[in-house]
């Protein structure tokens, strides 16, 4: 939820920057705002939790969780790096207009990332419950989970493909129609 909030705040800042034909610095500032907002909200929530429950940090548990999730972390870092490096290359080789068009498509693409996160948060307790019952139950719930994720991904791709043009035109005007084309291509690559 916090990621979604910070993503929408950052997206609104990007939309504002694109609307007023802002310089590249302001686009970078709005992307940085997402990280600052996420960090601030997480710090606020965890500081309140620590005061209420007296949570203790277990570095053994933290290192175990990092080791177990290292593949996911590496994939997420590579995805973010690839998207941002594309944006930096467009800014370097092309004009700020093309970079703004790409940034609009990228923001819309990132807004859809909250769907797998939300589904994971909903399904995760069922996976834990199935794991305690039996391995057959766990296999069944994991198969069901993959089917749900595949269906959700296909549904999002189709919706974005069908409604990218009117959505981009509605929010940004016809000057950013190329963002819709880029968004259609990028949605199928994620």
């Amino acid at each position: 939820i916090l990621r979604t909030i910070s993503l929408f705040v950052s997206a609104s800042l990007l939309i504002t920057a694109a609307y007023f034909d802002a310089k590249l610095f302001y686009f970078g500032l709005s992307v940085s705002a997402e990280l600052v907002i996420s960090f601030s909200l997480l710090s606020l929530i965890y500081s309140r939790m620590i005061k209420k429950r007296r949570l203790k940090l277990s570095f053994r548990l933290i290192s175990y969780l990092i080791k177990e999730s290292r593949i996911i972390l590496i994939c997420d870092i590579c995805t973010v790096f690839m998207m941002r490096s594309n944006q930096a290359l467009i800014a370097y080789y092309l004009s700020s207009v093309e970079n703004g068009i790409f940034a609009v498509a990228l923001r819309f693409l990132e807004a859809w990332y909250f769907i797998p996160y939300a589904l994971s948060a909903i399904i995760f307790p069922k996976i834990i419950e199935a794991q305690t019952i039996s391995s057959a139950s766990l296999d069944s719930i994991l198969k069901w989970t993959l089917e749900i994720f595949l269906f959700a991904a296909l549904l999002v791709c189709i919706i974005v493909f069908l409604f990218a043009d009117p959505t981009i035109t509605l929010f940004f005007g016809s000057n950013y129609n190329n963002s819709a084309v880029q968004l259609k291509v990028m949605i199928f690559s994620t």
Side-chain angles (χ1 to χ4, degrees), residues 4-150:
T4 305
I5 291 169
S6 63
L7 186 66
F8 282 119
V9 169
S10 178
S12 64
L13 290 174
L14 270 175
I15 290 168
T16 305
Y19 181 76
F20 290 111
D21 293 328
K23 294 187 178 190
L24 183 60
F25 171 76
Y26 295 106
F27 285 97
L29 195 61
S30 63
V31 169
S32 300
E34 177 184 347
L35 298 173
V36 170
I37 292 168
S38 293
F39 177 75
S40 301
L41 291 174
L42 283 173
S43 298
L44 179 70
I45 288 173
Y46 285 123
S47 66
R48 288 185 178 177
M49 286 175 59
I50 289 173
K51 287 178 184 175
K52 288 181 181 178
R53 297 183 187 160
R54 304 272 184 211
L55 295 177
K56 295 180 183 177
L57 289 178
S58 169
F59 291 106
R60 185 182 306 162
L61 179 61
I62 291 171
S63 66
Y64 171 75
L65 291 175
I66 289 173
K67 285 179 187 175
E68 289 297 315
S69 63
R70 67 183 176 271
I71 301 298
I72 295 171
L73 289 172
I74 291 170
C75 288
D76 283 347
I77 290 170
C78 289
T79 301
V80 169
F81 176 75
M82 197 169 76
M83 287 183 180
R84 297 298 173 211
S85 64
N86 286 343
Q87 193 170 2
L89 287 172
I90 288 172
Y92 183 76
Y93 287 110
L94 302 173
S95 70
S96 61
V97 172
E98 282 86 6
N99 193 35
I101 289 171
F102 182 76
V104 167
L106 190 62
R107 270 298 154 188
F108 271 97
L109 180 69
E110 288 175 349
W112 294 108
Y113 273 75
F114 80 92
I115 292 174
Y117 288 123
L119 287 175
S120 297
I122 293 168
I123 296 172
F124 185 71
K126 293 289 184 188
I127 293 173
I128 297 300
E129 182 182 315
Q131 184 181 10
T132 59
I133 295 172
S134 70
S135 64
S137 177
L138 178 64
D139 290 344
S140 173
I141 196 82
L142 287 176
K143 181 182 177 221
W144 177 77
T145 302
L146 290 174
E147 289 171 355
I148 293 288
F149 276 102
L150 178 63

